[in-house]
Amino acid sequence: MALPDFVILGAMKCGTSTLAAQLGAQEGVFMSTPKEPNFFSDDDVYAQGLDWYQALFDGAEAGALRGEASTHYTKLPTHPHTLERMRMVLEAPRLVYMIRNPVARAVSHYIHEWTEGRMSADPVSAFETHPELIDYGRYAMQITPFAEAYGPEAILVTSLERLTGDPEGELVRIGAHIGMGARAVWQADLGAKNVSSERIRKLPLHGLLVGNPVATALRRSLVPKALRTRIRQARSFGDRPELPDNLKEQLHQIFAEDQAALMELGLPGAREALS
């Protein structure tokens, strides 16, 4: 059956898109399209059936390592059935868990939701009413069930910081973990994926007034380019909300206990990823 040999489990806002692109550019490695099928986590996707999932890997050459990268797989408690579904299909996958400084991850997650118009510009209120901002950065909580199911040796923990600090070396280490026969080579021309600095704040009725071809054509014909540029800049990250220091300190305290628990799991790479 055409099934993945390895899975990048997340976490969200930790650079998994960049890692998936780099692995997909390696000889003998095939990454699914879409990059994040979220098959085991999302009920509506899982309902499409195993044949749909297998078809994502039909394009792999014989002998190639097949992989996918779905950040929803480590989003407890939002997606509670991920692991039980995965165990029924994947007997012994190699798993990669990509993390980053959990406070930085939480801030990036919040800004992402704010730009999409799903959270307010008041970060204190947002963190009080959206526990997922913290939960998705509780790395020990998220990865422990996978370690218990597949064994700690099946999981390599890496981080955005390590991939940024030593791209070639970290990619080689990840390649060895997933079973690449050849040494992985960093492809500098790919660049980073999901660069947040280019993201625009979505306003109410964004889809109607901005995100459709008719509105785009009218805007370009009626509104001078200089004015369009100023409007775009006004909606960019330059005016993004900032977390107050006391909230950041609370987050540091919350994540400290979880980081200690992650170290105790004995997962390969965890100590380095947290350093």
Side-chain angles (χ1 to χ4, degrees):
M1 294 190 296
L3 290 169
D5 301 291
F6 70 92
V7 177
I8 301 172
L9 297 169
M12 178 186 179
K13 310 307 294 180
C14 292
T16 59
S17 294
T18 295
L19 176 57
Q22 287 291 334
L23 289 175
Q26 304 300 310
E27 185 175 355
V29 178
F30 177 89
M31 296 298 297
S32 68
T33 301
K35 167 252 181 182
E36 294 196 44
N38 294 318
F39 176 70
F40 299 110
S41 54
D42 294 29
D43 294 344
D44 57 338
V45 182
Y46 189 72
Q48 297 185 68
L50 185 57
D51 288 343
W52 176 88
Y53 184 61
Q54 289 180 279
L56 300 181
F57 306 97
D58 285 347
E61 297 181 357
L65 288 174
R66 299 179 294 265
E68 62 122 315
S70 297
T71 60
H72 285 197
Y73 294 167
T74 48
K75 285 187 175 182
L76 291 173
T78 306
H79 300 290
H81 304 300
T82 298
L83 182 57
E84 64 184 82
R85 292 168 175 172
M86 184 179 290
R87 291 191 68 185
M88 289 190 294
V89 175
L90 304 183
E91 181 178 353
R94 305 301 284 173
L95 304 175
V96 178
Y97 189 39
M98 191 167 186
I99 64 176
R100 69 187 290 191
N101 178 294
V103 176
R105 194 221 69 83
V107 172
S108 180
H109 184 176
Y110 164 60
I111 294 298
H112 172 82
E113 298 297 331
W114 171 76
T115 61
E116 295 292 316
R118 291 190 287 263
M119 292 187 187
S120 74
D122 178 3
V124 174
S125 175
F127 274 81
E128 287 178 350
T129 56
H130 295 276
E132 67 271 18
L133 292 171
I134 293 175
D135 287 341
Y136 297 170
R138 294 181 187 266
Y139 302 134
M141 181 190 78
Q142 298 292 343
I143 203 62
T144 293
F146 291 92
E148 293 174 346
Y150 289 114
E153 68 283 350
I155 305 169
L156 176 68
V157 181
T158 184
S159 69
L160 176 62
E161 290 83 1
R162 288 185 63 84
L163 197 67
T164 302
D166 181 16
E168 184 89 19
E170 195 64 9
L171 189 65
V172 168
R173 194 165 72 106
I174 295 167
H177 175 74
I178 65 174
M180 285 183 58
R183 178 185 174 91
V185 178
W186 183 266
Q187 307 294 318
D189 58 328
L190 286 179
K193 305 299 178 183
N194 289 347
V195 179
S196 59
S197 61
E198 298 177 356
R199 192 175 299 122
I200 294 297
R201 165 74 164 158
K202 289 186 178 179
L203 302 175
L205 301 180
H206 177 91
L208 177 62
L209 300 178
V210 179
N212 72 78
V214 175
T216 298
L218 288 173
R219 188 169 62 253
R220 289 177 177 173
S221 62
L222 298 176
V223 181
K225 183 177 181 180
L227 179 57
R228 297 201 309 269
T229 300
R230 287 199 297 272
I231 294 173
R232 180 181 177 88
Q233 291 173 343
R235 294 168 52 228
S236 69
F237 264 14
D239 60 350
R240 67 181 183 178
E242 295 286 342
L243 272 65
D245 290 340
N246 62 335
L247 177 56
K248 290 182 180 179
E249 180 58 31
Q250 291 175 20
L251 295 178
H252 280 293
Q253 295 175 5
I254 290 171
F255 290 128
E257 183 177 348
D258 181 83
Q259 287 182 304
L262 180 61
M263 293 284 285
E264 293 177 1
L265 290 176
L267 303 180
R271 182 176 299 276
E272 296 83 354
L274 290 172
S275 63

